[in-house]
Amino acid sequence: MTESTIIAPASAPGRGGVSVVRISGPKARPIAQTLCGDLEEPWKLKKCTIRSKGGVDLDTGLVVFFKSPNSYTGEDVVELHCHGNPRLVDLIVAEGVSRGARVAEPGEFTKRAYLNNKIDLAQAEAVADLIAAQTEGAAMAAHNSLSGRFSSDINSCIDSLVASRVYVEASLDFPEEEIDEEGLAQAGLGIKEQLGFVKDTLASAERGALIREGFGVVIVGPPNAGKSTLLNALANKDLAITSNIAGTTRDSIGVELNLGGVVVEFTDTAGLRENPDNEIEEEGMKRTHASLEEANLVLCVYDITKQEEIEPINKDTITVLNKCDLLSEVPRCGEAEVCISAEKGLGLDNLVELILIKLGLGEETSLLSRRRHVVCLQECLDSLSEAVSLFEQGLGLELVAESLLSAQESLGKITRPVSSDDLLGEIFSEFCIGK
Ligand code: GDP
């Protein structure tokens, strides 16, 4: 438990119906009592008058006292609900400070929740991600992570790894003839099972990190196939979040769209041609190639009425056959193909559905994760693969136990890293004040 008592507005700055001021720490209750009267009963909203030190009535509002450890931070917490005026909120915070609280740093309430074991680090990160989410999909995925689903997957894997390692380490202490071969074989199977689980979790964390960061879809194809028309059609259909229209007509144009609740940045590129006409076109092509490198998915747009050569692209691709309104009969499409009319808005729903499937955003509820988690899971996977291969080759149980320990430590860094000051500083400084 920390000694200091902290105070900050918990609601967004500005005017509104209600603002909330939060106080946390050992003196939260006595400080709040001098501000707004007795707080006998915890977890009960109570009407109150908020008074200055000089006895002036500042506002009437509501107050609730959360008794430690059943509070957000795990400490005594008081939340004061006053009218939503920023000057009034400043006054109440100043009154709290004059009674011995200090203004909280960004993320300090959540940091205390973490330090007091109310949540783990992945959940603390999910709090920041939920607040920052730009789409409903990202918000729901962050909520899923905050509720502890991601953490409990990680923790159950840590538990299994510990069990396997303990078994392997115990076997080290026995003379060779006394080793329980069958038990050891079971432990080997367990390690293999965990390897599969970590692989699946890594794939889901990679998807979760992309939901947080946004997906990149690049539109390529011959000139006049209808790439810009398609981008406009998608932007009209869905909510465009931002757009950056770049300088020259040969440059790439990017639009961020909310597609099925997830941020997807579509980039319309300069057409790819064998021999660019001039320097500007050459530069445009360079940028197209750079966008292709980074893309999560490529839409190759062709004019269905033309026999255009389909260039092989070394990426996950959807072939979009455009201008189907010009044909009397729409042909059957292959698995990764869609026939559309960007101009008439035909087939766009099918295209969006296929994009979401290709990005791995089907029906299942997603979790939100960060690159940091992906890196830790990859480290864990490497150590576990090593453990399995050492085990299978019979290359010494000490080495297997060592690899299992590394795998376990890599996972531990996701939820509760051992030495973590720099990391905590980095994570909590991203938060807003009052959270
Ligand atoms: P880009 O060079 O690939 O970006 O192609 P544009 O989007 O500029 O389109 C080239 C031409 O095709 C324009 O005259 C569009 O109006 C036309 N076009 C685009 N999509 C369609 C479509 O679905 N049907 C028809 N009939 N014309 C289209």
Side-chain angles (χ1 to χ4, degrees):
M1 288 274 176
T2 27
E3 287 302 309
S4 58
T5 296
I6 53 175
I7 185 167
S11 46
R15 293 170 204 281
V18 177
S19 285
V20 177
V21 175
R22 187 186 264 160
I23 314 173
S24 177
K27 288 206 278 177
R29 189 182 184 187
I31 288 173
Q33 289 192 138
T34 63
L35 259 169
C36 59
D38 271 356
L39 290 172
E40 290 308 325
E41 260 192 290
W43 308 297
K44 224 173 188 180
L45 212 54
K46 182 187 156 202
K47 209 174 162 199
C48 68
T49 301
I50 305 165
R51 287 206 176 86
S52 76
K53 247 185 167 174
V56 176
D57 288 0
L58 302 176
D59 194 15
T60 48
L62 293 169
V63 61
V64 58
F65 165 49
F66 301 90
K67 194 168 159 48
S68 165
N70 295 323
S71 69
Y72 181 65
T73 59
E75 305 172 326
D76 275 355
V77 169
V78 175
E79 282 180 8
L80 268 163
H81 300 213
C82 61
H83 288 98
N85 175 303
R87 298 285 81 78
L88 180 62
V89 168
D90 287 349
L91 260 179
I92 295 172
V93 169
E95 285 291 333
V97 169
S98 77
R99 288 160 163 88
R102 75 165 165 76
V103 176
E105 290 163 17
E108 201 172 359
F109 291 97
T110 308
K111 189 176 181 181
R112 288 185 177 200
Y114 168 70
L115 293 174
N116 292 327
N117 289 320
K118 298 295 291 185
I119 50 173
D120 63 36
L121 200 53
Q123 288 174 298
E125 289 168 317
V127 172
D129 292 339
L130 179 55
I131 293 170
Q134 284 200 73
T135 59
E136 60 271 38
M140 283 190 293
H143 171 262
N144 286 336
S145 294
L146 175 58
S147 69
R149 267 187 42 202
F150 180 52
S151 304
S152 91
D153 281 355
I154 298 294
N155 288 336
S156 59
C157 191
I158 292 179
D159 290 346
S160 313
L161 287 175
V162 171
S164 305
R165 184 170 59 81
V166 166
Y167 198 90
V168 171
E169 280 178 359
S171 304
L172 287 173
D173 296 334
F174 288 113
E176 208 160 288
E177 58 279 9
E178 282 179 36
I179 289 182
D180 169 10
E181 292 295 341
E182 206 174 298
L184 208 52
Q186 279 298 325
L189 285 178
I191 300 170
K192 263 196 174 164
E193 213 172 275
Q194 285 137 30
L195 182 75
F197 178 79
V198 171
K199 263 188 199 157
D200 291 348
T201 313
L202 175 61
S204 126
E206 269 170 347
R207 209 170 42 239
L210 282 171
I211 295 174
R212 179 172 180 266
E213 294 157 4
F215 291 81
V217 174
V218 168
I219 305 176
V220 294
N224 286 326
K227 299 182 294 298
S228 317
T229 310
L230 171 60
L231 189 64
N232 285 334
L234 287 169
N236 280 332
K237 186 176 175 315
D238 296 283
L239 176 68
I241 297 169
T242 61
S243 76
N244 51 68
I245 314 284
T248 72
T249 49
R250 302 293 171 101
D251 206 342
S252 298
I253 293 174
V255 179
E256 274 188 1
L257 304 178
N258 177 348
L259 209 71
V262 177
V263 175
V264 180
E265 179 174 19
F266 285 86
T267 308
D268 177 15
T269 59
L272 282 175
R273 289 205 292 162
E274 284 285 314
N275 303 308
D277 277 349
N278 53 44
E279 269 177 34
I280 298 177
E281 190 171 356
E282 203 174 315
E283 179 56 29
M285 305 260 276
K286 260 193 214 158
R287 291 184 190 197
T288 300
H289 284 291
S291 305
L292 279 173
E293 281 285 303
E294 286 174 14
N296 301 107
L297 180 66
V298 179
L299 302 186
C300 287
V301 184
Y302 297 96
D303 181 336
I304 200 166
T305 64
K306 290 194 178 148
Q307 293 290 323
E308 284 163 321
E309 208 165 293
I310 297 194
E311 285 182 48
I313 288 182
N314 193 17
K315 276 267 169 182
D316 210 0
T317 301
I318 297 175
T319 302
V320 182
L321 301 167
N322 189 32
K323 308 195 188 183
C324 71
D325 57 297
L326 297 178
L327 300 181
S328 52
E329 203 176 321
V330 178
R332 275 177 159 267
C333 286
E335 207 177 284
E337 266 182 12
V338 201
C339 295
I340 64 157
S341 166
E343 201 163 76
K344 304 271 187 272
L346 302 173
L348 293 179
D349 285 343
N350 293 345
L351 175 59
V352 168
E353 200 178 313
L354 193 56
I355 292 171
L356 290 175
I357 290 171
K358 281 272 186 184
L359 292 177
L361 299 164
E363 291 299 301
E364 77 187 278
T365 335
S366 308
L367 296 168
L368 203 73
S369 40
R370 296 187 169 202
R371 282 288 139 206
R372 186 182 82 75
H373 309 154
V374 173
V375 170
C376 296
L377 279 159
Q378 185 61 56
E379 276 174 21
C380 172
L381 189 65
D382 293 345
S383 304
L384 260 183
S385 307
E386 199 172 86
V388 169
S389 121
L390 289 166
F391 196 90
E392 284 179 345
Q393 295 170 56
L395 282 178
L397 292 179
E398 290 94 341
L399 296 176
V400 174
E402 225 170 85
S403 299
L404 287 176
L405 181 62
S406 311
Q408 174 198 329
E409 283 171 351
S410 301
L411 286 190
K413 284 196 276 186
I414 296 178
T415 46
R416 208 156 275 284
V418 183
S419 60
S420 55
D421 280 359
D422 290 351
L423 181 63
L424 293 191
E426 202 181 300
I427 289 172
F428 290 105
S429 63
E430 281 175 21
F431 275 71
C432 44
I433 299 235
K435 195 62 216 175

